[in-house]
Amino acid sequence: MQRLSAITYRLPYSPASTDFLAHLRALLTRVPYAGTAPGRLQLTPPWPAGALPVTAFEVANVPSAEIRFGDAWSLGTDAGSWSPTQTAAALGWSTVGTSAPDATSSRAAPAAAPGHETPAAAIEDLANAHVGLSGSGNDASTQAVPDAGIGMAEFAQRLAGHVVAVDHTGMNLPAAAVPPERWQAIVHAVAGVSTFYRYPTGEPWLFVLPSNEAEYATDIDAFADGREPRFELVRDEWLDGPLWQFALRTDLSRPDLEAMFPDPVGAAFPGLGEVFRAVTVRSPWPGLQIRFDLYYSRIDAVTDRAGALTDWETGEWLVTAGGRIKRDDGSEPNAIETERVREDRRTAVAGNDLTQGVAADVRKNGAS
């Protein structure tokens, strides 16, 4: 089965999209694995060799902002409505929006570009999993777009030169618009083409970890710095519309970031004030929210006073405690698989282990 090669944030042609991409490129100039080309920014995992997927941002001929998985399908936003979709050539759907699949079109997998074959079963799942906000009781097209937050230009200017890595990017989907069976279809489609892992404490916060071909065929069993950026997919009970999230590692302390992004532009999530500062950035695209989580420098993090890598940064916690989601295992992707995971967490917290207990609480409340 062909593994996922790229997760691409595609921005519709407009001055606002061009500006957003330019500011993001400037923001990531210190990130050594950020490569640029006209109209495109690509983050290539630095370790292990041959790791996929890459994460990319590009201005494209799309009607609204979307995240594309390879060349197979997209999670899109369109004036407050969104849906997981195939390309029009694949299923005869509109590229983005709330239209139903064309009843006259075939659901068989179309011929794909070489190197981007999509499993027919994944296409079938997505055809059955078409989702829209209309009729959900949370139609974002009827809700005002929040004016809170900071503009991307000012955000990038304040933070310039201080971003050293991209921990993860991701998309949060409003649970009211994603019934469990549809969520399952999306999850299993992603799991069928990537190394995709459960969140160990059971929440619907799932992570694609970059991996090489051998790891994709078996599983990840080596842990070091550089397996990034990962991608997070969240089913969020509190959202009324989709959100893009970007978790960046910085060289700044908590006081630095609090001064740089004071309330209400910046915020400390409950229990996470010693880990990162969350900043809402005004979105150029209707119906889509944008949040940056700015991690403090390692020497200031409560979870790691010495500055050494944690099992969160290497991905080990997700792999060994969460476990891989396999497309054909028929399991519930959010279930905690073993009592050992629960017992390990109870032991760590009871023992007040700084690296494991506090980190587990931090991750539980803040990774999404």
Side-chain angles (χ1 to χ4, degrees), residues 182-223:
R182 291 175 178 172
W183 170 250
Q184 292 288 331
I186 297 171
V187 167
H188 282 259
V190 177
V193 292
S194 68
T195 39
F196 199 30
Y197 292 89
R198 300 172 178 86
Y199 198 76
T201 52
E203 289 82 359
W205 309 335
L206 312 179
F207 284 85
V208 174
L209 297 187
S211 60
N212 62 30
E213 189 170 359
E215 291 171 328
Y216 173 67
T218 56
D219 202 358
I220 293 173
D221 60 5
F223 307 101

Short mmCIF file of all heavy atoms in Angstrom, two decimals, residues 182-223:
data_model
loop_
_atom_site.label_atom_id
_atom_site.label_comp_id
_atom_site.label_asym_id
_atom_site.label_seq_id
_atom_site.Cartn_x
_atom_site.Cartn_y
_atom_site.Cartn_z
N ARG A 182 -18.31 8.75 10.90
CA ARG A 182 -17.58 9.53 9.91
C ARG A 182 -16.15 9.79 10.37
O ARG A 182 -15.21 9.77 9.58
CB ARG A 182 -18.32 10.85 9.64
CG ARG A 182 -19.64 10.62 8.92
CD ARG A 182 -20.42 11.92 8.78
NE ARG A 182 -21.67 11.70 8.04
CZ ARG A 182 -22.62 12.62 7.91
NH1 ARG A 182 -22.46 13.81 8.47
NH2 ARG A 182 -23.70 12.35 7.23
N TRP A 183 -16.00 10.07 11.65
CA TRP A 183 -14.67 10.22 12.21
C TRP A 183 -13.86 8.95 11.99
O TRP A 183 -12.70 8.99 11.59
CB TRP A 183 -14.79 10.55 13.69
CG TRP A 183 -13.52 10.50 14.48
CD1 TRP A 183 -13.18 9.59 15.42
CD2 TRP A 183 -12.42 11.42 14.41
NE1 TRP A 183 -11.94 9.88 15.96
CE2 TRP A 183 -11.45 10.99 15.35
CE3 TRP A 183 -12.17 12.56 13.64
CZ2 TRP A 183 -10.25 11.66 15.54
CZ3 TRP A 183 -10.96 13.23 13.83
CH2 TRP A 183 -10.02 12.78 14.77
N GLN A 184 -14.48 7.79 12.21
CA GLN A 184 -13.80 6.52 12.01
C GLN A 184 -13.32 6.38 10.56
O GLN A 184 -12.21 5.90 10.30
CB GLN A 184 -14.74 5.36 12.35
CG GLN A 184 -15.09 5.22 13.81
CD GLN A 184 -13.92 4.72 14.63
OE1 GLN A 184 -13.08 4.00 14.12
NE2 GLN A 184 -13.84 5.11 15.88
N ALA A 185 -14.15 6.78 9.61
CA ALA A 185 -13.77 6.66 8.21
C ALA A 185 -12.57 7.53 7.88
O ALA A 185 -11.66 7.10 7.15
CB ALA A 185 -14.96 7.03 7.32
N ILE A 186 -12.55 8.75 8.40
CA ILE A 186 -11.41 9.63 8.18
C ILE A 186 -10.15 9.03 8.81
O ILE A 186 -9.09 8.96 8.19
CB ILE A 186 -11.69 11.03 8.75
CG1 ILE A 186 -12.88 11.68 8.05
CG2 ILE A 186 -10.46 11.93 8.61
CD1 ILE A 186 -13.35 12.97 8.71
N VAL A 187 -10.28 8.58 10.06
CA VAL A 187 -9.14 8.01 10.78
C VAL A 187 -8.57 6.81 10.04
O VAL A 187 -7.35 6.69 9.85
CB VAL A 187 -9.57 7.60 12.20
CG1 VAL A 187 -8.51 6.73 12.87
CG2 VAL A 187 -9.82 8.85 13.05
N HIS A 188 -9.42 5.92 9.59
CA HIS A 188 -8.92 4.72 8.94
C HIS A 188 -8.34 5.00 7.55
O HIS A 188 -7.44 4.30 7.10
CB HIS A 188 -10.03 3.67 8.89
CG HIS A 188 -10.22 2.96 10.20
ND1 HIS A 188 -9.71 1.72 10.47
CD2 HIS A 188 -10.82 3.38 11.35
CE1 HIS A 188 -10.01 1.37 11.72
NE2 HIS A 188 -10.68 2.36 12.27
N ALA A 189 -8.82 6.05 6.89
CA ALA A 189 -8.22 6.43 5.62
C ALA A 189 -6.79 6.94 5.83
O ALA A 189 -5.89 6.60 5.07
CB ALA A 189 -9.07 7.51 4.94
N VAL A 190 -6.59 7.75 6.87
CA VAL A 190 -5.24 8.24 7.17
C VAL A 190 -4.35 7.09 7.63
O VAL A 190 -3.20 6.97 7.21
CB VAL A 190 -5.29 9.35 8.24
CG1 VAL A 190 -3.88 9.80 8.61
CG2 VAL A 190 -6.11 10.54 7.75
N ALA A 191 -4.89 6.20 8.46
CA ALA A 191 -4.11 5.08 8.98
C ALA A 191 -3.66 4.14 7.86
O ALA A 191 -2.62 3.49 7.98
CB ALA A 191 -4.92 4.31 10.02
N GLY A 192 -4.45 4.08 6.79
CA GLY A 192 -4.11 3.18 5.70
C GLY A 192 -2.90 3.60 4.89
O GLY A 192 -2.38 2.80 4.11
N VAL A 193 -2.44 4.84 5.09
CA VAL A 193 -1.34 5.33 4.25
C VAL A 193 -0.22 5.98 5.07
O VAL A 193 0.67 6.62 4.51
CB VAL A 193 -1.86 6.34 3.20
CG1 VAL A 193 -2.74 5.65 2.19
CG2 VAL A 193 -2.61 7.50 3.87
N SER A 194 -0.24 5.82 6.40
CA SER A 194 0.77 6.49 7.22
C SER A 194 1.01 5.74 8.52
O SER A 194 0.27 4.81 8.86
CB SER A 194 0.32 7.92 7.55
OG SER A 194 -0.80 7.90 8.43
N THR A 195 2.03 6.15 9.26
CA THR A 195 2.25 5.66 10.62
C THR A 195 1.49 6.62 11.54
O THR A 195 1.95 7.72 11.81
CB THR A 195 3.75 5.62 10.96
OG1 THR A 195 4.41 6.76 10.41
CG2 THR A 195 4.39 4.36 10.39
N PHE A 196 0.34 6.17 12.00
CA PHE A 196 -0.67 7.00 12.66
C PHE A 196 -0.90 6.44 14.05
O PHE A 196 -1.12 5.23 14.21
CB PHE A 196 -1.96 6.91 11.83
CG PHE A 196 -2.96 8.01 12.07
CD1 PHE A 196 -2.58 9.28 12.47
CD2 PHE A 196 -4.31 7.76 11.86
CE1 PHE A 196 -3.52 10.28 12.65
CE2 PHE A 196 -5.26 8.76 12.03
CZ PHE A 196 -4.86 10.01 12.44
N TYR A 197 -0.85 7.31 15.08
CA TYR A 197 -0.82 6.82 16.46
C TYR A 197 -1.92 7.42 17.34
O TYR A 197 -2.28 8.59 17.20
CB TYR A 197 0.56 7.11 17.09
CG TYR A 197 1.62 6.28 16.44
CD1 TYR A 197 2.28 6.76 15.31
CD2 TYR A 197 1.91 5.00 16.89
CE1 TYR A 197 3.23 5.99 14.66
CE2 TYR A 197 2.86 4.22 16.25
CZ TYR A 197 3.51 4.71 15.13
OH TYR A 197 4.44 3.94 14.49
N ARG A 198 -2.41 6.58 18.25
CA ARG A 198 -3.40 7.01 19.22
C ARG A 198 -2.75 7.91 20.27
O ARG A 198 -1.58 7.78 20.58
CB ARG A 198 -4.00 5.81 19.95
CG ARG A 198 -4.72 4.81 19.07
CD ARG A 198 -5.10 3.57 19.87
NE ARG A 198 -5.83 2.62 19.04
CZ ARG A 198 -5.23 1.70 18.28
NH1 ARG A 198 -3.91 1.62 18.25
NH2 ARG A 198 -5.97 0.88 17.55
N TYR A 199 -3.56 8.77 20.86
CA TYR A 199 -3.12 9.52 22.02
C TYR A 199 -3.27 8.60 23.23
O TYR A 199 -4.33 8.02 23.46
CB TYR A 199 -3.95 10.80 22.18
CG TYR A 199 -3.29 11.80 23.08
CD1 TYR A 199 -2.22 12.56 22.63
CD2 TYR A 199 -3.72 11.96 24.40
CE1 TYR A 199 -1.58 13.46 23.47
CE2 TYR A 199 -3.09 12.87 25.23
CZ TYR A 199 -2.01 13.61 24.76
OH TYR A 199 -1.38 14.50 25.59
N PRO A 200 -2.21 8.42 24.03
CA PRO A 200 -2.23 7.37 25.05
C PRO A 200 -3.34 7.46 26.08
O PRO A 200 -3.74 6.43 26.64
CB PRO A 200 -0.85 7.50 25.71
CG PRO A 200 0.02 8.05 24.62
CD PRO A 200 -0.87 9.02 23.89
N THR A 201 -3.85 8.66 26.38
CA THR A 201 -4.88 8.75 27.40
C THR A 201 -6.29 8.65 26.82
O THR A 201 -7.27 8.81 27.55
CB THR A 201 -4.73 10.07 28.18
OG1 THR A 201 -4.68 11.17 27.28
CG2 THR A 201 -3.47 10.05 29.02
N GLY A 202 -6.40 8.36 25.53
CA GLY A 202 -7.69 8.01 24.95
C GLY A 202 -8.45 9.10 24.24
O GLY A 202 -9.46 8.82 23.60
N GLU A 203 -8.00 10.36 24.31
CA GLU A 203 -8.73 11.43 23.63
C GLU A 203 -8.57 11.31 22.11
O GLU A 203 -7.60 10.73 21.63
CB GLU A 203 -8.21 12.80 24.10
CG GLU A 203 -8.60 13.16 25.52
CD GLU A 203 -7.70 12.53 26.56
OE1 GLU A 203 -6.76 11.80 26.17
OE2 GLU A 203 -7.92 12.76 27.76
N PRO A 204 -9.50 11.87 21.36
CA PRO A 204 -9.42 11.82 19.90
C PRO A 204 -8.43 12.85 19.36
O PRO A 204 -8.76 13.74 18.59
CB PRO A 204 -10.86 12.12 19.45
CG PRO A 204 -11.41 12.99 20.53
CD PRO A 204 -10.79 12.50 21.80
N TRP A 205 -7.18 12.72 19.80
CA TRP A 205 -6.07 13.56 19.34
C TRP A 205 -5.04 12.60 18.74
O TRP A 205 -4.27 11.98 19.46
CB TRP A 205 -5.44 14.33 20.51
CG TRP A 205 -6.42 15.08 21.38
CD1 TRP A 205 -7.65 15.55 21.03
CD2 TRP A 205 -6.23 15.46 22.75
NE1 TRP A 205 -8.24 16.19 22.09
CE2 TRP A 205 -7.38 16.17 23.16
CE3 TRP A 205 -5.18 15.30 23.65
CZ2 TRP A 205 -7.54 16.68 24.44
CZ3 TRP A 205 -5.32 15.82 24.93
CH2 TRP A 205 -6.48 16.50 25.31
N LEU A 206 -5.05 12.45 17.45
CA LEU A 206 -4.28 11.41 16.77
C LEU A 206 -3.14 12.03 15.97
O LEU A 206 -3.29 13.12 15.40
CB LEU A 206 -5.19 10.60 15.85
CG LEU A 206 -6.51 10.11 16.50
CD1 LEU A 206 -7.34 9.35 15.48
CD2 LEU A 206 -6.23 9.26 17.73
N PHE A 207 -2.01 11.32 15.91
CA PHE A 207 -0.80 11.90 15.31
C PHE A 207 -0.21 11.02 14.22
O PHE A 207 0.03 9.83 14.42
CB PHE A 207 0.26 12.10 16.39
CG PHE A 207 0.01 13.29 17.28
CD1 PHE A 207 -0.81 13.17 18.40
CD2 PHE A 207 0.58 14.52 17.00
CE1 PHE A 207 -1.05 14.27 19.22
CE2 PHE A 207 0.35 15.61 17.82
CZ PHE A 207 -0.46 15.50 18.93
N VAL A 208 0.05 11.65 13.08
CA VAL A 208 0.90 11.05 12.04
C VAL A 208 2.35 11.38 12.39
O VAL A 208 2.70 12.56 12.54
CB VAL A 208 0.57 11.60 10.65
CG1 VAL A 208 1.57 11.06 9.61
CG2 VAL A 208 -0.85 11.25 10.24
N LEU A 209 3.18 10.36 12.54
CA LEU A 209 4.61 10.57 12.75
C LEU A 209 5.35 10.26 11.46
O LEU A 209 5.10 9.23 10.83
CB LEU A 209 5.15 9.65 13.86
CG LEU A 209 4.59 9.84 15.27
CD1 LEU A 209 5.36 8.96 16.24
CD2 LEU A 209 4.68 11.29 15.70
N PRO A 210 6.26 11.13 11.04
CA PRO A 210 7.06 10.81 9.86
C PRO A 210 7.83 9.52 10.06
O PRO A 210 8.32 9.23 11.17
CB PRO A 210 8.02 12.01 9.75
CG PRO A 210 7.31 13.13 10.46
CD PRO A 210 6.59 12.47 11.60
N SER A 211 7.93 8.72 9.02
CA SER A 211 8.61 7.43 9.12
C SER A 211 9.22 7.08 7.77
O SER A 211 8.79 7.58 6.72
CB SER A 211 7.62 6.34 9.53
OG SER A 211 6.56 6.22 8.60
N ASN A 212 10.23 6.21 7.80
CA ASN A 212 10.81 5.74 6.54
C ASN A 212 10.04 4.51 6.05
O ASN A 212 9.10 4.05 6.70
CB ASN A 212 12.31 5.47 6.69
CG ASN A 212 12.61 4.38 7.71
OD1 ASN A 212 11.82 3.46 7.92
ND2 ASN A 212 13.78 4.48 8.35
N GLU A 213 10.44 4.01 4.92
CA GLU A 213 9.68 2.93 4.29
C GLU A 213 9.64 1.68 5.15
O GLU A 213 8.60 1.02 5.27
CB GLU A 213 10.27 2.62 2.92
CG GLU A 213 9.42 1.67 2.09
CD GLU A 213 9.89 1.57 0.65
OE1 GLU A 213 10.87 2.24 0.29
OE2 GLU A 213 9.26 0.82 -0.12
N ALA A 214 10.77 1.34 5.78
CA ALA A 214 10.82 0.14 6.61
C ALA A 214 9.92 0.30 7.84
O ALA A 214 9.22 -0.63 8.24
CB ALA A 214 12.25 -0.14 7.04
N GLU A 215 9.91 1.47 8.44
CA GLU A 215 9.05 1.71 9.61
C GLU A 215 7.59 1.68 9.22
O GLU A 215 6.74 1.20 9.98
CB GLU A 215 9.41 3.06 10.22
CG GLU A 215 10.78 3.09 10.88
CD GLU A 215 11.20 4.49 11.30
OE1 GLU A 215 10.81 5.46 10.61
OE2 GLU A 215 11.94 4.61 12.29
N TYR A 216 7.27 2.20 8.06
CA TYR A 216 5.88 2.17 7.59
C TYR A 216 5.42 0.72 7.42
O TYR A 216 4.28 0.37 7.78
CB TYR A 216 5.76 2.93 6.26
CG TYR A 216 4.41 2.80 5.61
CD1 TYR A 216 3.28 3.37 6.19
CD2 TYR A 216 4.26 2.11 4.42
CE1 TYR A 216 2.03 3.25 5.60
CE2 TYR A 216 3.01 1.99 3.81
CZ TYR A 216 1.91 2.57 4.40
OH TYR A 216 0.67 2.44 3.82
N ALA A 217 6.30 -0.13 6.93
CA ALA A 217 5.93 -1.53 6.71
C ALA A 217 5.80 -2.30 8.01
O ALA A 217 5.00 -3.24 8.10
CB ALA A 217 6.98 -2.19 5.82
N THR A 218 6.56 -1.91 9.03
CA THR A 218 6.51 -2.64 10.31
C THR A 218 5.98 -1.71 11.40
O THR A 218 4.80 -1.66 11.67
CB THR A 218 7.90 -3.19 10.66
OG1 THR A 218 8.85 -2.11 10.68
CG2 THR A 218 8.34 -4.24 9.65
N ASP A 219 6.87 -0.96 12.03
CA ASP A 219 6.48 0.06 13.01
C ASP A 219 7.73 0.83 13.41
O ASP A 219 8.86 0.41 13.15
CB ASP A 219 5.85 -0.58 14.26
CG ASP A 219 4.97 0.40 15.04
OD1 ASP A 219 4.89 1.58 14.62
OD2 ASP A 219 4.39 0.01 16.06
N ILE A 220 7.53 1.95 14.06
CA ILE A 220 8.63 2.77 14.53
C ILE A 220 9.20 2.16 15.81
O ILE A 220 8.46 1.85 16.74
CB ILE A 220 8.16 4.22 14.79
CG1 ILE A 220 7.77 4.90 13.47
CG2 ILE A 220 9.22 5.01 15.52
CD1 ILE A 220 7.13 6.26 13.64
N ASP A 221 10.53 2.00 15.85
CA ASP A 221 11.16 1.46 17.07
C ASP A 221 12.45 2.19 17.42
O ASP A 221 13.21 1.74 18.28
CB ASP A 221 11.42 -0.04 16.94
CG ASP A 221 12.35 -0.39 15.79
OD1 ASP A 221 12.87 0.54 15.13
OD2 ASP A 221 12.57 -1.59 15.54
N ALA A 222 12.71 3.33 16.76
CA ALA A 222 13.89 4.13 17.06
C ALA A 222 13.43 5.55 17.38
O ALA A 222 12.52 6.08 16.73
CB ALA A 222 14.85 4.13 15.88
N PHE A 223 14.06 6.17 18.37
CA PHE A 223 13.58 7.46 18.86
C PHE A 223 14.75 8.42 19.06
O PHE A 223 15.69 8.12 19.81
CB PHE A 223 12.81 7.26 20.17
CG PHE A 223 11.73 6.23 20.04
CD1 PHE A 223 11.92 4.94 20.53
CD2 PHE A 223 10.55 6.52 19.39
CE1 PHE A 223 10.93 3.98 20.39
CE2 PHE A 223 9.55 5.58 19.25
CZ PHE A 223 9.75 4.30 19.74
#
